[in-house]
Amino acid sequence: MNKVLVIGAGGVGSVVIHKMAQLSDIFGDITLASRRIFKCDEIAASVKERTGVTIKTAEVDADDVEALSALIDKLGVSLVVNVALPYQDLNIMDACLKSGVNYLDTANYEPRDVAKFEYSWQWAYQQRFEEAGLMALLGSGFDPGVTNIYTAYAKKHLLDRIDTLDILDCNGGDHGQHFATNFNPEINIREVTAPVHHWENGAWVTTPAMANKQPFDFPAVGEKNMYQMYHEELESLVKHLPEIKRARFWMTFGDAYIKHLEVLQNVGMTRIDPVMYEGKEIIPLQFLKAVLPNPGDLGKTTKGKTCIGNIMTGEKDGKEKTVYVYNICDHEECFAEVGSQAVSYTTGVPAMIGAALMLTGKWSGKGVFNMEQLDPDPFMDMLNKHGLPWEAHELDKPLDF
């Protein structure tokens, strides 16, 4: 019986647990752990009500390597699925090495004190995992994750060479709040306010945050303004597909979101350095997170769809070709199935799929892997079967921006 430990009881963790419970032939023994065990218990109760499957729960501080390793050893798991905060990635990887178990996450490590997204810290674990005979799978969410798989699938089946890659992330949903983030507010705002990097002609090009805006007509959603951002999958994709001449990432934001974010920045509420308040040090962004709506509660009111995918231009059989591979996900349908909105769903389902492929041996290896290094076909097949069906279309021409 496969035993799995999932760390993190937020919106994504809830989706992961609900989807694992639907595949009891693969995930026979599941434990959900978090610093706040009552959140785990709430998710376990929902899973029991929806699927009849019993989920074990545990309390653990993911920053405490010794305590986490002891829990892993006690449970006898073979895989740890990390859907906690990105700050905790390295500690959880250390615990997996200490206990001799495989590792999976959905977002790359970043230090608490600077909004810096890069894989160097985790890629540095390559030799340790390889020598231990263990596998660490990085970024098995949607972006990163599915977007990496879309790229690998295009290279395997649709294009002989990929010259340009644009990842387009559109959330066309409306949650009815004046200002809220669709996943962890602290992580979301750090991403959005960070400098933008994109890959062009063998080098990274840096531009100010939110400086490049383009309108785009998204399938099933309509025209939205999208802003160029930096996202970690760009770093791994241009490393493992060095043929790519340009790689960019775009995300949609409504005018109200932008207005509120500008005000919060101007008054210092997005700062990640400590300030003194009534004799204590606080991080303004962490305080802001505490007063903003909980993303896990937005599913009850969110309506509309997401559309996330890749537009890739390259060559096929000697001719230029542009393809668009994407998924459309409905917020209300996600909530009806697992009690979460589509942003959590689109991250949690790929985490479950990556874990399933590791446990069944369809994906295996020794060392640290990004998604595009593995065979995309079984992953793409499971996306269609487990709630994230994809479409692939040829476009008349490349993007004109």
Side-chain angles (χ1 to χ4, degrees), residues 60-326:
V60 71
D61 180 354
D63 289 322
D64 187 335
V65 175
E66 294 297 326
L68 182 53
S69 177
L71 176 62
I72 294 170
D73 293 343
K74 177 183 176 182
L75 296 172
V77 303
S78 58
L79 173 66
V80 170
V81 175
N82 168 20
V83 285
L85 293 172
Y87 320 135
Q88 299 171 310
D89 288 359
L90 302 188
N91 289 332
I92 298 174
M93 292 177 79
D94 286 336
C96 287
L97 284 168
K98 184 176 178 63
S99 294
V101 300
N102 294 320
Y103 168 89
L104 178 151
D105 67 31
T106 62
N108 75 345
Y109 171 77
E110 59 178 281
R112 292 180 185 270
D113 56 351
V114 59
K116 185 177 183 180
F117 315 100
E118 63 179 57
Y119 276 114
S120 61
W121 291 285
Q122 291 180 281
W123 284 342
Y125 278 68
Q126 168 64 31
Q127 185 174 351
R128 293 171 64 189
F129 270 83
E130 187 174 7
E131 290 177 350
L134 299 173
M135 181 178 184
L137 180 60
L138 308 183
S140 189
F142 205 108
D143 42 350
V146 175
T147 52
N148 303 61
I149 291 295
Y150 284 171
T151 309
Y153 179 84
K155 179 61 190 292
K156 184 175 181 179
H157 297 286
L158 307 176
L159 297 168
D160 298 325
R161 187 189 70 242
I162 299 175
D163 295 327
T164 64
L165 164 66
D166 284 270
I167 298 171
L168 283 57
D169 184 326
C170 170
N171 178 14
D174 182 2
H175 46 55
Q177 302 286 335
H178 292 295
F179 181 80
T181 63
N182 290 290
F183 59 96
N184 185 294
E186 187 177 354
I187 304 303
N188 176 266
I189 293 173
R190 282 167 65 113
E191 281 188 5
V192 174
T193 57
V196 175
H197 308 293
H198 79 272
W199 184 256
E200 192 158 0
N201 296 323
W204 291 106
V205 179
T206 302
T207 50
M210 311 301 282
N212 191 357
K213 177 177 73 172
Q214 292 287 343
F216 189 82
D217 189 6
F218 288 89
V221 175
E223 185 170 294
K224 297 285 184 180
N225 287 326
M226 61 182 189
Y227 294 80
Q228 192 174 346
M229 293 174 53
Y230 177 67
H231 234 233
E232 61 257 44
E233 65 261 47
L234 298 182
E235 182 184 17
S236 71
L237 285 167
V238 299
K239 174 183 178 180
H240 297 125
L241 285 86
E243 68 201 55
I244 296 177
K245 296 182 176 66
R246 190 192 70 207
R248 303 179 295 187
F249 183 93
W250 306 84
M251 184 174 285
T252 62
F253 298 98
D255 293 340
Y257 180 97
I258 299 299
K259 178 179 71 175
H260 281 82
L261 184 62
E262 286 177 350
V263 172
L264 291 169
Q265 282 186 281
N266 289 341
V267 299
M269 285 304 300
T270 63
R271 288 172 54 178
I272 60 175
D273 57 311
V275 299
M276 294 300 298
Y277 176 72
E278 294 186 346
K280 297 180 180 180
E281 281 194 347
I282 67 167
I283 305 294
L285 181 55
Q286 292 179 354
F287 176 80
L288 177 63
K289 173 186 174 181
V291 299
L292 287 176
N294 179 359
D297 295 332
L298 295 177
K300 302 170 186 176
T301 59
T302 305
K303 303 180 186 301
K305 295 178 172 64
T306 64
C307 179
I308 313 174
N310 297 9
I311 295 180
M312 298 160 284
T313 296
E315 185 177 275
K316 180 66 174 178
D317 298 329
K319 296 180 180 179
E320 184 180 80
K321 182 178 179 180
T322 299
V323 295
Y324 188 13
V325 185
Y326 60 87

Side-chain angles (χ1 to χ4, degrees), residues 294-367:
N294 179 359
D297 295 332
L298 295 177
K300 302 170 186 176
T301 59
T302 305
K303 303 180 186 301
K305 295 178 172 64
T306 64
C307 179
I308 313 174
N310 297 9
I311 295 180
M312 298 160 284
T313 296
E315 185 177 275
K316 180 66 174 178
D317 298 329
K319 296 180 180 179
E320 184 180 80
K321 182 178 179 180
T322 299
V323 295
Y324 188 13
V325 185
Y326 60 87
N327 161 262
I328 296 165
C329 195
D330 186 282
H331 284 285
E332 292 178 276
E333 291 178 3
C334 295
F335 187 75
E337 182 190 351
V338 299
S340 298
Q341 36 85 356
V343 175
S344 295
Y345 191 90
T346 55
T347 304
V349 173
M352 178 278 290
I353 293 174
L357 294 177
M358 291 176 69
L359 290 173
T360 58
K362 293 181 179 178
W363 278 3
S364 62
K366 299 176 183 178

Side-chain angles (χ1 to χ4, degrees), residues 6-14 32-34 36 39-41 43 83-84:
V6 178
I7 302 174
V12 174
S14 179
L32 176 62
S34 171
R36 299 178 298 171
K39 296 295 293 182
C40 301
D41 292 338
I43 294 170
V83 285

